[in-house]
Amino acid sequence: MGTTLATALLEALAQAGAREVFGIPGDFALPFFDALESSGRLPLYTLSHEPSVGFAADAAARIRCAPSVAAVTYGAGAFNVVNAVASAFAEKSPVVVISGAPGTRERGSGLLLHHQAKTLDSQYEMFRQVTCDQARLDDPATAGARIARVLASARRYAQPVYLELPRDCLGEPCAPVWAEPAPPVDEEALAACAEEILARLAQAKSPVLMVDVEVRRFGLEAQVAKLAKRLAIPVVTTLMGRGLLDNADAPLVGTYLGLAGTPEVSALVEDSDALLMLGVILSDTNFGVSARRVDLRRAIQALDGRVTLGFHTYADMPLDRVVAALLARAQPLAQARAVAPVAAPRGLAADEGAIEPLDISRALNDLMDARGRMPVATDVGDCLFTAMDLVQTDHVAPGYYATMGFGVPAGLGVQAASGRRPVILVGDGAFQMTGLELGHCARHGWDPIVVVMNNGGWGMLSAFRPEARYNALGTWNLARVADALGGAGHLVRTRAELAKALATAHANPGRFHLLDVRLAPGALSPTLRRFTDAVSRLHG
């Protein structure tokens, strides 16, 4: 039997860097799932709800710097995954969404089809809004070229793409898919761009390098670390870029959070007269709580395939080529200076005291100092800000789009893609959305350590509206939920119990461990408290 559209697609996905598929089958998608299972080309991890499929694929793509696949059925499945794909789009993660669809003959039947919304094209039009490229593979003669174009877009822009598969086309003959080459770059313009950037840095009194998500998405951490070291320039990450350069030999100082961050990092960034911003998304979470703001007229921005210096822009400058051109020309800056890194809090007092979020940071830092770094997946809320006090380690979080429910499936995606046991930090509100996905751990061989910051409500919203009753959720006994899902539950009320539970969880791999950490009433991390204070001052 020759190459079919299904086998050509699976081979193209593998050649583009995909190493796994997360999915939930449905009738319109069954032919694709059949092909996936029979071929064995990519492993399939099924979950319980489509948002989790999207979050897991997003996290896998982030941790591996390569596409990952979310496979769903038409309508009821695809519309369910839209929010997760929107998050990946906003935060630049190359998720390949593959949706089954009505067959070409069904589309002409004149009948309304189950799972159909307004029209049969409503789903396709919806995904236009949250993906950078799309194709409907309804013609095997042109399918190969369409697949090549869409997968090239996922890699080129580090954003989600969408492929729609009519269920009666998967078995049709299809030519192999040939990868599209990268578009050419004007070498003279690239050289001029690099030389102007380096000249601007050389003339500055206090140059600083800031890194964000595109550095990870395009696999540039080693090169950027080498560049920073060669220039002898201090480096900071944004909130979204937390965890970058964790294994690199780079002069990393800390994470910039404006008024919510440490004063020394905020001053370093805001006083810089030449801030080189590599892959930095200009979002409110990255820059919205700085009273002084960063003066973008003095900044150098390399993002979205272009470089902007002051009031002019070099177009068509891919970040990888810019970094390579800088490396080829960089020399130590005359005004180079060493800036001490911000120390992460350590030394948990393992006593009978009530637990604050900062205690969780200390306990995890102590654990990783003793046993080695672990990747971390966090949800939104105070768990996101608590993670800012962790040691530098691989980190995935919805820092800009800020959707709840990301943490647990993201942690599962991290382990599926990397093979490394992760720590998952999640609040009880977000856990109620997607925490039951832990029930799949035994089947797929995953054993994360899940730390639930349980305060009986939406704690971050309570920080803004402390008198509002609508933020209360009640206190659920999540440790017992863990036992029912095949994991090990630990009810944690004191710092001593926290230290013991983490040690036990780490020493007993093979199944997931869930720490139901009951926080002290009203407890907030120092970073969240500074964040809410800053937002309150800015917005009244």
Side-chain angles (χ1 to χ4, degrees), residues 22 26 95 100 148 166 169 231 280 297 317 330 332 334 337 349 355 394 424 434 439 461 473 480-481:
F22 301 92
V95 175
C169 293
L231 292 171
V280 176
R297 294 170 300 178
M317 293 285 119
R337 67 201 191 282
I355 299 170
D394 277 336
I424 298 172
T434 55
L461 299 179
L473 295 173
R480 296 186 67 180
V481 172

Side-chain angles (χ1 to χ4, degrees), residues 61-62 65 87-94 157-159 210-221 237-242 244 277-283 286 302-304 319 395-400:
R62 296 185 193 209
C65 314
S87 180
F89 182 85
E91 301 200 4
K92 292 182 172 287
S93 184
Y157 303 112
Q159 286 184 311
M210 176 180 281
V211 295
D212 197 2
V213 296
E214 280 196 354
V215 171
R216 167 62 63 84
R217 304 298 189 263
F218 295 121
L220 299 175
E221 287 180 83
T237 77
T238 62
L239 182 149
M240 292 179 64
R242 180 73 180 183
L244 284 169
M277 305 165 70
L278 296 181
V280 176
I281 296 177
L282 300 179
S283 67
N286 277 340
L303 178 74
D304 288 335
L319 187 61
H395 179 89
V396 297
Y400 161 40

Side-chain angles (χ1 to χ4, degrees), residues 18-19 36 42 52 106 114 120 140 176 215 318 353 423 444 463 485 539:
R19 295 293 178 268
L36 186 62
L42 296 173
S52 298
E106 291 171 286
H114 63 283
L120 286 170
V215 171
V423 171
H444 295 313
L485 295 176
H539 301 294

Side-chain angles (χ1 to χ4, degrees), residues 390-467:
L390 294 179
V391 295
Q392 289 289 342
T393 190
D394 277 336
H395 179 89
V396 297
Y400 161 40
Y401 188 74
T403 182
M404 289 181 71
F406 178 88
V408 169
L412 304 183
V414 165
Q415 186 159 16
S418 70
R420 300 169 63 196
R421 192 183 190 193
V423 171
I424 298 172
L425 272 179
V426 60
D428 55 317
F431 184 88
Q432 290 173 19
M433 293 184 172
T434 55
L436 290 183
E437 300 291 0
L438 291 172
H440 297 286
C441 286
R443 190 162 55 88
H444 295 313
W446 300 326
D447 58 352
I449 298 174
V450 185
V451 179
V452 182
M453 297 171 60
N454 193 344
N455 54 14
W458 293 312
M460 183 172 174
L461 299 179
S462 295
F464 290 103
R465 295 289 189 273
E467 305 303 323

Side-chain angles (χ1 to χ4, degrees), residues 12-311:
L13 289 168
Q15 292 301 319
R19 295 293 178 268
E20 63 286 307
V21 177
F22 301 92
I24 297 177
D27 56 351
F28 290 112
L30 289 178
F32 177 69
F33 278 78
D34 289 341
L36 186 62
E37 186 168 84
S38 62
S39 74
R41 190 65 177 91
L42 296 173
L44 169 64
Y45 302 106
T46 55
L47 298 174
S48 294
H49 201 206
E50 284 85 6
S52 298
V53 166
F55 292 141
D58 181 355
R62 296 185 193 209
I63 207 74
R64 286 198 304 101
C65 314
S68 187
V69 181
V72 294
T73 193
Y74 178 75
F79 284 128
N80 252 345
V81 83
V82 166
N83 178 63
V85 178
S87 180
F89 182 85
E91 301 200 4
K92 292 182 172 287
S93 184
V95 175
V96 180
V97 181
I98 295 178
S99 174
T104 53
R105 290 182 293 275
E106 291 171 286
R107 291 179 66 90
S109 70
L111 299 174
L112 292 174
L113 300 179
H114 63 283
H115 300 334
Q116 177 181 334
K118 184 176 182 179
T119 72
L120 286 170
D121 292 327
S122 295
Q123 175 177 309
Y124 193 91
E125 294 305 315
M126 175 66 74
F127 277 93
R128 282 185 183 274
Q129 302 301 314
V130 293
T131 58
C132 69
D133 205 347
Q134 315 81 28
R136 180 178 291 128
L137 305 182
D138 53 1
D139 180 1
T142 61
R146 294 179 183 183
I147 293 169
R149 187 199 75 233
V150 168
L151 295 183
S153 294
R155 295 198 67 101
R156 186 174 303 142
Y157 303 112
Q159 286 184 311
V161 293
Y162 175 73
L163 292 171
E164 192 168 286
L165 307 181
R167 61 176 168 181
D168 59 357
C169 293
L170 272 291
E172 295 295 318
C174 178
V177 178
W178 301 105
E180 284 194 358
V185 174
D186 186 327
E187 297 295 338
E188 291 185 3
L190 178 62
C193 177
E195 289 164 7
E196 185 173 353
I197 291 172
L198 293 172
R200 180 78 65 90
L201 295 174
Q203 294 165 5
K205 295 180 179 179
S206 56
V208 173
L209 172 59
M210 176 180 281
V211 295
D212 197 2
V213 296
E214 280 196 354
V215 171
R216 167 62 63 84
R217 304 298 189 263
F218 295 121
L220 299 175
E221 287 180 83
Q223 297 95 310
V224 169
K226 186 177 181 181
L227 175 65
K229 194 172 181 182
R230 184 173 298 174
L231 292 171
I233 185 173
V235 184
V236 300
T237 77
T238 62
L239 182 149
M240 292 179 64
R242 180 73 180 183
L244 284 169
L245 308 180
D246 70 295
N247 291 315
D249 183 14
L252 182 62
V253 178
T255 297
Y256 176 72
L257 296 170
L259 291 178
T262 55
E264 54 267 45
V265 175
S266 296
L268 180 70
V269 170
E270 293 161 9
D271 292 341
S272 175
D273 57 345
L275 180 64
L276 175 56
M277 305 165 70
L278 296 181
V280 176
I281 296 177
L282 300 179
S283 67
D284 56 353
T285 52
N286 277 340
F287 298 101
V289 290
S290 173
R292 299 168 60 184
R293 296 288 183 94
V294 173
D295 187 352
L296 294 178
R297 294 170 300 178
R298 300 191 299 178
I300 305 161
Q301 303 172 60
L303 178 74
D304 288 335
R306 59 183 179 271
V307 176
T308 300
L309 298 95
F311 298 102

